[in-house]
Every structure is written in C-alpha cells, then in structure tokens.
Amino acid sequence: MNFSELFKLSSLLCKFSPDGKYLASCVQYRLVVRDANTLQILQLYTCLDQIQHLEWSADSLFILCALYKRGLVQVWSLEQPEWHCKIDEGSAGLVASCWSPDGRHILNTTEFHLRITVWSLCTKSVSYIKYPKACQQGITFTRDGRYLALAERRDCRDYVSIFVCSDWQLLHFDTDTQDLAGIEWAPNGCVLAVWDSCLEYKVLLYSLDGRLLSAFCAYEWSLGIKSVAWSPSSQFLAIGSYDGKVRILNHVTWKMITEFGHPATVNNPKIVVYKEAEKSPPLGHLACPPPRVAAGPLTSSESKYEIASMPVSLQTLKPAADRANPRIGIGALAFSPDNYFLATRNDSVPNAVWIWDIRKLRPLAVLEQLCTVRAFQWGPQQPRLAICTGGSKVYLWSPAGCVSVQVPGEGDFQVLSLCWHPSGDSLALLSKDHFCLCFLEMEESMRMAFGQRGDCT
C-alpha cells in the first residue's frame, strides 16, 4: 500500500466524484477539487460560510455545497468555473439538500420538514412538495433515476408518494405503519421497502403501483428494527433488529429464509476469528510490511491479527437501561458488491465485525478489534471490506484473510471515517482535521482477492 500526504479537512467532508476523476474536500468555507490520482488542486471555490454538506451531481459536472446555518445552497461547475448558483431558502431555513438523479434539480428540505423545494438549474423553475416526514430515511431514488419515493405524514397517518422524476407526476398511497421510520428502493427499482419505528416490528414491501406485496413481523412487544439493507442483486433484504439478530428475506415469497445470531461466545469451528493483538518491539519477521496501531492519544504500539482458538469470548457492552437509544442490536450491516458476503455489527459487541457467507447462509469470520468499530464499507468492485476504529490504522478483510495497516505521518492520525474510490483501487481515510489517500497496488489487490487465507498480519 502507498499513502499520500495529509491534507486539511473539516467536518469529514471528502467525496470522490461518481466518475472517479475528482476528489472534493472542504476546509471551513473553501471547496477544494483535486485530481483523484495525482491529488493536484484543479479548482478552488469560496463559499459564503462554513460548508456543512457536500454532494456531487450524478454526471460529476456540478458540486452542491449546503450552508445549513444560513439556509443557503451554492452550486459550482467544473466545466465552467466562473459559473455558479446560489439558492436561498430564506426564513424557511434548511436542514437537508440533495441532487436529483439527472443532476439538474436540487431538493431542499426546510426546517421542521414543512416542505421540500425542487429547484431546476435549467429552467430556474421552483416546485414544492408538502408534508415530508421527519424520519431516519424519508427520501429515496431508484438506481436508474426514474422514480422518487417520499415518506409523508398528514392527518396523523403515514403515506408514501412515488414521483416520476421526468415530469414529477405522482402516485400516492397510505402505509400500514404507526410511525414510519424509513424507506428504501430495491436496487432493481421494482420493490419499495417501508419499515416502522423501533417500537413496532414491521416491514412492508410495495410494488411500483402501490400494491402491498408482503408484510413481515418477527416478534411483538419489544424493540424492533434498527437497520435495513438490500443485496445488490435485489434477491435478499437483510433486517437488523434490536434482539441482536439479522433476518434475511427472499425476493420470491418475501418470507424469512434464515436468521443470523451474534452470540457473545463463538464456539463454531467453521468460523475463523481474527483477533487483533498488540505487539511490542523488536519486530520479528513478518509476511507483510510491519504495521503499527494507535493504542492511545499519546502512545502507539504495533499490532497484528491472530487466529483465535475456540471457544472465543467477545467483549460485550452492557447497555444503560435508563437511557434512550440503548447500544444494543444490529446497528450496521452491508452486502458485498458480488452478493456473496454480508458484514454486520452488533452494537452490544462494539469491537467485532461479523462476516456471513450468503451462498451457504452461514457465518464465515469474525474480526475482533482492540477498539470500537466506528465504520466499515465494502469496496465497490471486489469483496473487500475496509474497517476503521478511530485509531491510526485501517483494516482490510477479503476471502484471502485480513491485514491491518498503519497510516504513516507525523502525529496521531485518527481514522474516523473512510470512503472508496469508484474503481476500488484507492481509499480516502478521514480524520477530524485531515485526510489522506491509501492506494492499493495491483499486486496487493490481487493477493487480497485471491491469496491464501493464512495471511493475517
């Protein structure tokens, strides 16, 4: 692996363009656009205030910068740097802003979710959508950009409106939810998943014309759904619950085909448990370049992965019973791009990431870190999972094994978030004030994808 130098950053705002040519980052009120390969600065834009949100248009020609404190959105063009657009929501305020899939319309959500304003960059026309619901995930586009689904709340009932993005005509229907929490299209755009709040376990599946295809409820009278994810092929819907289990629905009957538990003690010999362990110098002979891991804010020590022998007791966290949003249940889950694997994290076992084999419907591996897992993300092209824990390391897992790599540089670079380049050849690592790029060499990428499983340094 090769690393770039550190660059300044604010608010963890750093994103690759969809075509992979550019990398945009924010430093206070400045927007910096770099070449994604050379990291040479191509454009530098100055906004009117600190940037709180950054988003590329789908065609990578425009960049949206949202200034929520001022209720402003500024749009910049890469082809015509002298062109710019400013959208002012005025006294209505601004809490969210996003592109439509055509890259020529901007959807702004006003304060208190009073309305969504649709601004056209081509005709300068303005349209309004009333009654958007304030929920975890209330707006979603199909992957082909043809349809928009919006969660609404009116007359004390939940509704979903489906818009045709070409002319903004809509289909409107109510949902059988007490307090709708989120909606998400299947990747093929044929089915819309709707789920209720954590107080009621309910998942509803609707067709494009608003017909209810199926309803799923795993249990009652307990905290319900915490996370939902579609497989890239749209064949499976994974539902993470507060009971610490993931339930998989199939796309034929919409019935549960299996459920994955996350026990605190692993005693299945078919599961490979990679346990991160500290290591003190001097260094011995290693199969890979010697890594180091940040053990604290002032000291750093080396570490490596060891394959633990069964049974393995994972570190658990006892949730506070008198506080809202307890740290229990499946807080994160994601499918690999080839549909073969599912990665999950149980919030009551915060240091562990579980890897599941979807083809065989069984657990495959567990990665137990020394620190709490902050984020993980699959590479866009290969089944390669990147993990960060807030320390100065990045961790990679593939069917070949797993590696931990120290981020070089002066001081303590704490990786709080990460994002993949669309090609999967590089990875942006983000800290509170800086970011750097991690370039995966081709030989290393091939080894991670097809190498021997014994490589676990």
Side-chain angles (χ1 to χ4, degrees):
M1 289 185 183
N2 294 321
F3 290 86
S4 71
E5 61 179 295
L6 299 182
F7 300 96
K8 283 191 173 295
L9 181 72
S10 61
S11 303
L12 298 177
L13 294 177
C14 180
K15 293 185 179 180
F16 288 103
S17 60
D19 62 7
K21 295 181 180 179
Y22 310 107
L23 176 65
S25 61
C26 297
V27 182
Q28 300 298 327
Y29 57 88
R30 291 188 179 92
L31 171 65
V32 184
V33 179
R34 289 182 168 87
D35 184 286
N37 293 319
T38 66
L39 295 179
Q40 181 181 357
I41 295 179
L42 303 178
Q43 297 292 344
L44 183 63
Y45 304 100
T46 302
C47 293
L48 297 175
D49 205 336
Q50 183 169 346
I51 303 169
Q52 274 99 35
H53 175 67
L54 165 70
E55 188 173 329
W56 286 92
S57 62
D59 55 10
S60 303
L61 296 179
F62 298 94
I63 308 177
L64 175 156
C65 296
L67 288 60
Y68 293 142
K69 293 180 180 179
R70 285 204 178 196
L72 291 176
V73 171
Q74 292 187 260
V75 185
W76 307 95
S77 169
L78 261 66
E79 287 188 331
Q80 304 176 18
E82 68 280 357
W83 180 93
H84 72 278
C85 169
K86 184 179 75 170
I87 299 173
D88 190 349
E89 291 291 347
S91 59
L94 182 69
V95 296
S97 183
C98 68
W99 286 102
S100 66
D102 65 0
R104 298 300 179 268
H105 293 81
I106 293 175
L107 283 71
N108 287 343
T109 304
T110 61
E111 286 186 344
F112 308 109
H113 284 72
L114 296 178
R115 67 172 186 241
I116 292 179
T117 310
V118 183
W119 301 83
S120 172
L121 299 185
C122 299
T123 64
K124 299 183 181 180
S125 61
V126 183
S127 303
Y128 298 100
I129 303 175
K130 294 182 178 180
Y131 313 116
K133 181 171 185 178
C135 58
Q136 181 182 3
Q137 187 174 328
I139 183 170
T140 177
F141 290 93
T142 55
R143 190 162 293 185
D144 60 11
R146 295 178 61 187
Y147 301 104
L148 159 69
L150 176 69
E152 300 179 353
R153 184 76 175 180
R154 62 176 77 180
D155 300 327
C156 300
R157 289 181 62 88
D158 290 328
Y159 292 85
V160 169
S161 290
I162 298 178
F163 294 83
V164 180
C165 294
S166 58
D167 54 13
W168 297 102
Q169 293 184 355
L170 66 89
L171 169 69
H172 182 72
F173 59 90
D174 63 338
T175 62
D176 186 23
T177 53
Q178 297 296 323
D179 185 13
L180 188 153
I183 57 177
E184 186 172 352
W185 287 105
N188 62 11
C190 295
V191 179
L192 179 69
V194 178
W195 59 94
D196 219 319
S197 72
C198 63
L199 298 180
E200 183 168 351
Y201 199 118
K202 183 181 291 185
V203 176
L204 306 171
L205 298 155
Y206 291 94
S207 64
L208 268 173
D209 57 4
R211 289 181 295 112
L212 178 62
L213 301 176
S214 182
F216 176 74
C217 175
Y219 53 82
E220 295 180 331
W221 314 115
S222 185
L223 291 177
I225 298 168
K226 192 168 188 178
S227 54
V228 175
W230 285 98
S231 68
S233 65
S234 304
Q235 293 177 296
F236 303 107
L237 180 65
I239 306 169
S241 310
Y242 277 89
D243 66 349
K245 295 181 180 180
V246 175
R247 293 167 175 86
I248 307 294
L249 307 187
N250 74 88
H251 74 296
V252 178
T253 63
W254 299 116
K255 303 296 183 183
M256 186 181 72
I257 57 174
T258 190
E259 65 179 22
F260 297 144
H262 296 68
T265 301
V266 181
N267 53 18
N268 186 343
K270 294 183 179 180
I271 303 176
V272 181
V273 178
Y274 297 100
K275 198 176 184 70
E276 185 187 7
E278 291 187 353
K279 180 181 177 183
S280 301
L283 294 171
H285 176 72
L286 295 177
C288 297
R292 293 182 300 168
V293 66
L298 299 177
T299 62
S300 63
S301 60
E302 294 148 2
S303 75
K304 65 175 184 178
Y305 279 117
E306 297 177 347
I307 297 180
S309 57
M310 299 297 166
V312 179
S313 296
L314 304 176
Q315 298 182 33
T316 59
L317 180 70
K318 186 177 181 180
D322 57 344
R323 295 184 181 179
N325 302 315
R327 296 191 62 179
I328 58 173
I330 309 303
L333 71 171
F335 283 93
S336 62
D338 58 3
N339 297 280
Y340 289 172
F341 305 102
L342 174 68
T344 62
R345 185 196 68 217
N346 185 358
D347 288 348
S348 61
V349 190
N351 292 18
V353 176
W354 290 69
I355 311 292
W356 307 84
D357 189 331
I358 297 301
R359 293 169 295 181
K360 299 179 180 179
L361 297 177
R362 69 173 184 85
L364 182 65
V366 178
L367 279 69
E368 186 179 22
Q369 310 298 133
L370 292 173
C371 301
T372 299
V373 174
R374 293 187 62 95
F376 59 78
Q377 186 177 357
W378 288 102
Q381 304 297 333
Q382 299 179 11
R384 186 165 50 200
L385 185 70
I387 304 170
C388 65
T389 62
S392 58
K393 282 196 169 211
V394 59
Y395 307 89
L396 292 174
W397 177 92
S398 80
C402 52
V403 294
S404 58
V405 182
Q406 171 76 25
V407 180
E410 298 179 359
D412 186 18
F413 183 87
Q414 297 180 341
V415 185
L416 302 179
S417 183
L418 45 82
C419 63
W420 285 94
H421 186 276
S423 69
D425 294 334
S426 61
L427 186 67
L429 308 178
L430 317 181
S431 74
K432 183 178 180 181
D433 302 314
H434 296 86
F435 78 92
C436 73
L437 254 59
C438 170
F439 295 94
L440 279 69
E441 298 175 358
M442 183 58 65
E443 180 180 350
E444 188 170 23
S445 298
M446 295 296 289
R447 179 170 57 82
M448 282 294 293
F450 305 108
Q452 300 299 317
R453 198 175 72 175
D455 185 5
C456 60
T457 298

